[in-house]
Amino acid sequence: MSEQHHQHMSHPEGHEPAAQPGKVSWSTAASATLHCLTGCAIGEILGLVIATALGWSTAPSIAVAVVLAFFFGYLLTLLPLRRAGVNWSTAIKLALAADTVSIIVMEIVDNGVMLIIPGAMNATLTSGLFWGALALSLLVAFLITTPVNKWIIGRGKGHAVVHAYHH
């Protein structure tokens, strides 16, 4: 058994290993951001598709997209933690610590982009404008959130707090 795996297995249930601050590569930051973006994108796309299909106005469309983005963002962190044997209470605390700032930044950016593109929020699901604006909004969110995550992880926060549980 590797030393890292042994350290992972030896921490008492309910006590998370300490995150180690330090230098963080852009690759690590991009990987953490991509992980977060995946959950956010699932929720954002699902929320906007539901709201658009139901003909909702902008405010409820954004609200449902944001709620679902947080739900799926946290879920994609919770599931691996639970598979690693982390109890629910600790897993929820870790997911909140790992993802909250990243999701907030992503949601502000991607919804902001959707709002500033003329007609994007009123476009139909069969419109290239809808899908193009959504894709652009997620790309811009990734590009802006990656340096934020790099800074956060470098401080031993964000995805650094769950890294110790990854095999």
Side-chain angles (χ1 to χ4, degrees):
M1 182 178 326
S2 74
E3 179 64 24
Q4 182 181 13
H5 187 257
H6 182 270
Q7 287 174 351
H8 163 74
M9 298 302 290
S10 65
H11 68 271
E13 183 64 35
H15 298 288
E16 63 262 14
Q20 299 299 316
K23 193 165 185 155
V24 177
S25 70
W26 282 104
S27 174
T28 297
S31 177
T33 304
L34 188 58
H35 174 269
C36 189
L37 180 68
T38 302
C40 286
I42 292 168
E44 190 76 23
I45 291 167
L46 183 59
L48 290 178
V49 165
I50 290 168
T52 300
L54 295 175
W56 291 359
S57 64
T58 299
S61 296
I62 290 175
V64 73
V66 168
V67 167
L68 290 174
F70 272 91
F71 174 78
F72 285 103
Y74 289 137
L75 185 65
L76 291 185
T77 297
L78 280 171
L79 294 176
L81 289 171
R82 291 291 297 145
R83 279 194 299 271
V86 177
N87 68 44
W88 275 109
S89 175
T90 301
I92 290 168
K93 288 175 191 171
L94 287 168
L96 291 170
D99 293 331
T100 301
V101 172
S102 185
I103 295 172
I104 289 170
V105 172
M106 277 189 193
E107 288 307 294
I108 289 170
V109 172
D110 68 41
N111 285 292
V113 169
M114 288 295 290
L115 287 169
I116 64 170
I117 296 175
M121 290 301 295
N122 296 320
T124 64
L125 295 177
T126 58
S127 165
L129 175 61
F130 175 84
W131 294 105
L134 189 53
L136 178 64
S137 75
L138 294 171
L139 174 63
V140 172
F142 175 81
L143 294 174
I144 290 176
T145 307
T146 299
V148 172
N149 279 334
K150 185 178 188 306
W151 179 75
I152 291 169
I153 295 166
R155 295 176 38 108
K157 308 283 185 205
H159 272 264
V161 300
V162 296
H163 183 73
Y165 293 95
H166 293 201
H167 297 299

